[in-house]
Amino acid sequence: MRAATLKGAQRALMSACMPAPVAARARTLASASPAVCSCSYSSTSSSSSPLATLGSSLGLCGRQQRPFARINSSSSARSRRALRPLATAAVEARRGPAAPAKDQVLTSDPANNVTEYIYSKMGINLHHQPNHPIGIIKQAIYDYFEQGSPGVFKAFDDMYPVVACTANFDEILIPADHVSRSPNDTYYVSADKVLRCHTSAHQAELLRTKQPAFLVTGDVYRRDSIDATHYPVFHQMEGVRIYGPADWEAAGLEATAFAERELKSALEGLAKHLFGDVECRWGLAKHLFGDVECRWVDAYFPFTEPSFELEIFFNGKWMEVLGCGVMEQVILDKNYGEGHKAWAFGLGLERLAMVLFDIPDIRLFWSDDDRFLKQFKAGDLNSKFKSYSKFPPCYKDMAFWVSPEFTENNLCELVRGIGGDLVEEVVCIDNFTNPKTQRTSNCYRITYRSMERSLTDEEINGLQARVRQGVAEQLKVELR
């Protein structure tokens, strides 16, 4: 589902299941820019929390915020966190799919804007690695739904990441003029195909198979800003459950009210399963307690009504972690059949993992460093990341007069293509318009830092020189 907050770009959905071979990782790194280290960051929502990813998966426009909950991780809840992965027919462990053929992603189509850097991330399948934080979170969510509704939810975590624009946008009612359709925000393989922006891209096709309840996990792709909680490739999970008249009639509720009640109950239970004891009030202020602060806010998504988002307070900011709501009736009627009601949610696995495991930088999820990977074990939700890197950052400022070709997402994409995962953050630190010429000048600060080693002046100066040249030639700006 797609995030309600699209700040500058689209901040929407993500997720999936098993390990990629070491050889695939070696190939990935070899095909990346020579300056790229083995770390990398991933996510969504500019808001502020790992959970923002789910909302990312859902919404589109502005929201009204109403704080009202806090998660309390009690010792008794923590003691329940050593989870044993369930071996059930509904939750099947599957081998991660290989990356699509290169010529199917890096095409000669004039609309294609996928880079070598983005292609190098395909087929790694972090969500299929059981001892990786992404795989651990995925399995914990699978366990929760299987324990609460045995055999009901079917898991899909190997769906093909190149999808038709109709599936990514039209079938979930994203307006024709929506910003998320712009090549500034989305990776186009061709004029009519994209790298999925969210796992919601598979919602309609699965509804057509008459699946009454399903979870879809996979890697998703979005052109976005560069900072500690955003990455152009991340993982989302979509959840859908469908009900019939007998369900809401037995509860003595109207259909929409019943679906909303069941949705809230399911997601509050999920929060408790992951983080501990939960007190949640939808729409009402509540005294805060515990050690993880959260709040529910009303939201807008084109594919659900009513719609909600869950935010968590993380690293001093509110971060959106999931979006949800009652599915728009036209989507359900057209693809599943009339006479039903459904809820749907979308969440970002990286953001959940960042909160749960205290992981400060999204690039770490892509690290091959054993100092990171050996800190986590399948089924263990108690692990807390212990930093092993104290390497200093290197700051480089760049000022220029902007051009019609310039956008911040284009700048970030260019910087990523050159600096790869050595780039920690790109942020505008100054902006002004000349009153006489009406020309606008921006100054951006690029932060370079490796999680694994010290960077040399020669190395960073070389990268920055290539960035400056690329910005002038490709974005047509005038350097100052």
Side-chain angles (χ1 to χ4, degrees):
M1 312 184 75
R2 196 134 188 138
T5 344
L6 291 159
K7 289 188 179 177
Q10 35 170 187
R11 286 166 185 173
L13 314 156
M14 337 184 247
S15 321
C17 285
M18 273 192 75
V22 173
R25 286 194 158 226
R27 169 185 54 73
T28 295
L29 294 173
S31 65
S33 165
V36 178
C37 74
S38 57
C39 298
S40 166
Y41 96 84
S42 113
S43 174
T44 12
S45 178
S46 72
S47 224
S48 23
S49 85
L51 291 174
T53 300
L54 163 43
S56 291
S57 83
L58 288 179
L60 302 171
C61 340
R63 35 175 147 142
Q64 298 174 325
Q65 298 184 345
R66 293 191 291 183
F68 65 100
R70 188 163 188 139
I71 299 172
N72 180 21
S73 300
S74 67
S75 57
S76 60
R78 289 180 184 277
S79 68
R80 294 193 298 269
R81 288 189 185 170
L83 302 175
R84 179 174 57 84
L86 300 180
T88 68
V91 183
E92 303 171 15
R94 300 174 189 157
R95 178 172 295 283
K102 194 170 185 178
D103 61 4
Q104 294 179 11
V105 178
L106 300 176
T107 70
S108 59
D109 191 290
N112 187 282
N113 63 349
V114 184
T115 64
E116 289 274 358
Y117 175 78
I118 294 301
Y119 180 75
S120 74
K121 303 297 181 183
M122 303 186 79
I124 293 179
N125 299 316
L126 298 180
H127 58 292
H128 280 268
Q129 301 182 25
N131 294 313
H132 191 281
I134 300 302
I136 294 170
I137 284 282
K138 183 200 76 170
Q139 187 60 50
I141 298 172
Y142 282 3
D143 289 348
Y144 166 74
F145 282 103
E146 178 61 21
Q147 289 165 2
S149 303
V152 172
F153 284 84
K154 185 170 179 61
F156 297 86
D157 53 20
D158 56 3
M159 308 290 281
Y160 194 62
V162 178
V163 299
C165 291
T166 52
N168 199 72
F169 301 120
D170 301 309
E171 290 185 329
I172 52 173
L173 309 183
I174 293 179
D177 60 351
H178 192 265
V179 63
S180 64
R181 292 179 182 256
S182 166
N184 185 61
D185 288 11
T186 294
Y187 290 105
Y188 277 80
V189 172
S190 63
D192 59 355
K193 291 182 180 179
V194 297
L195 299 184
R196 62 185 170 214
C197 304
H198 42 220
T199 44
S200 297
H202 303 292
Q203 185 182 104
E205 68 174 302
L206 290 175
L207 288 173
R208 289 193 288 270
T209 67
K210 308 306 180 185
Q211 296 291 339
F214 54 84
L215 301 169
V216 184
T217 308
D219 46 355
V220 299
Y221 302 81
R222 202 170 306 150
R223 299 178 95 234
D224 212 337
S225 54
I226 298 177
D227 59 35
T229 61
H230 291 85
Y231 200 72
V233 187
F234 53 93
H235 299 77
Q236 283 188 342
M237 183 183 293
E238 171 104 351
V240 169
R241 184 159 188 180
I242 299 167
Y243 299 96
D247 296 306
W248 58 80
E249 289 171 2
L253 293 172
E254 181 270 334
T256 299
F258 173 80
E260 180 180 338
R261 186 193 73 175
E262 295 301 301
L263 170 65
K264 293 174 181 178
S265 175
L267 294 180
E268 289 170 10
L270 177 61
K272 181 176 181 178
H273 181 73
L274 294 176
F275 296 103
D277 294 334
V278 175
E279 285 283 343
C280 268
R281 296 284 184 87
W282 286 74
L284 298 176
K286 176 71 179 175
H287 291 298
L288 302 178
F289 60 93
D291 58 2
V292 179
E293 186 178 352
C294 71
R295 65 186 182 187
W296 290 101
V297 298
D298 291 335
Y300 161 75
F301 306 118
F303 27 83
T304 55
E305 176 57 37
S307 304
F308 312 96
E309 289 177 351
L310 176 64
E311 296 182 343
I312 282 184
F313 198 69
F314 180 73
N315 282 350
K317 299 178 181 179
W318 285 104
M319 178 173 68
E320 173 200 349
V321 293
L322 72 77
C324 61
V326 178
M327 187 181 295
E328 282 284 2
Q329 199 61 40
V330 65
I331 298 176
L332 193 57
D333 290 350
K334 181 177 180 179
N335 296 289
Y336 189 85
E338 297 181 358
H340 300 86
K341 211 69 182 174
W343 55 246
F345 72 79
L347 58 81
L349 297 185
E350 275 84 352
R351 293 192 169 190
L352 283 170
M354 290 177 80
V355 173
L356 188 63
F357 299 122
D358 287 347
I359 297 172
D361 193 315
I362 196 168
R363 293 177 298 165
L364 281 164
F365 291 108
W366 298 87
S367 177
D368 283 324
D369 195 317
D370 280 346
R371 291 175 295 177
F372 175 74
L373 297 174
K374 287 187 175 180
Q375 294 190 38
F376 307 98
K377 183 179 180 181
D380 183 6
L381 298 182
N382 290 311
S383 299
K384 296 298 179 184
F385 173 68
K386 297 177 179 62
S387 178
Y388 53 83
S389 172
K390 301 296 182 184
F391 300 112
C394 178
Y395 303 104
K396 293 292 181 181
D397 293 350
M398 176 175 56
F400 49 80
W401 298 103
V402 302
S403 68
E405 290 80 6
F406 173 80
T407 69
E408 188 168 297
N409 278 358
N410 284 340
L411 172 64
C412 290
E413 197 66 25
L414 186 148
V415 173
R416 271 195 200 100
I418 294 172
D421 294 338
L422 294 183
V423 182
E424 181 174 86
E425 185 175 52
V426 175
V427 60
C428 185
I429 60 173
D430 186 53
N431 171 280
F432 79 93
T433 300
N434 187 304
K436 292 184 179 180
T437 65
Q438 293 302 302
R439 298 180 73 192
T440 298
S441 172
N442 289 344
C443 181
Y444 278 87
R445 174 162 293 166
I446 302 175
T447 303
Y448 297 91
R449 190 204 310 251
S450 170
M451 301 279 183
E452 301 167 354
R453 61 185 176 83
S454 292
L455 303 175
T456 66
D457 287 340
E458 181 180 11
E459 179 180 14
I460 298 307
N461 288 339
L463 290 176
Q464 187 68 7
R466 290 170 58 194
V467 167
R468 290 176 62 85
Q469 180 181 357
V471 166
E473 293 177 355
Q474 297 178 41
L475 303 187
K476 309 299 182 185
V477 302
E478 182 182 339
L479 295 169
R480 299 182 62 203

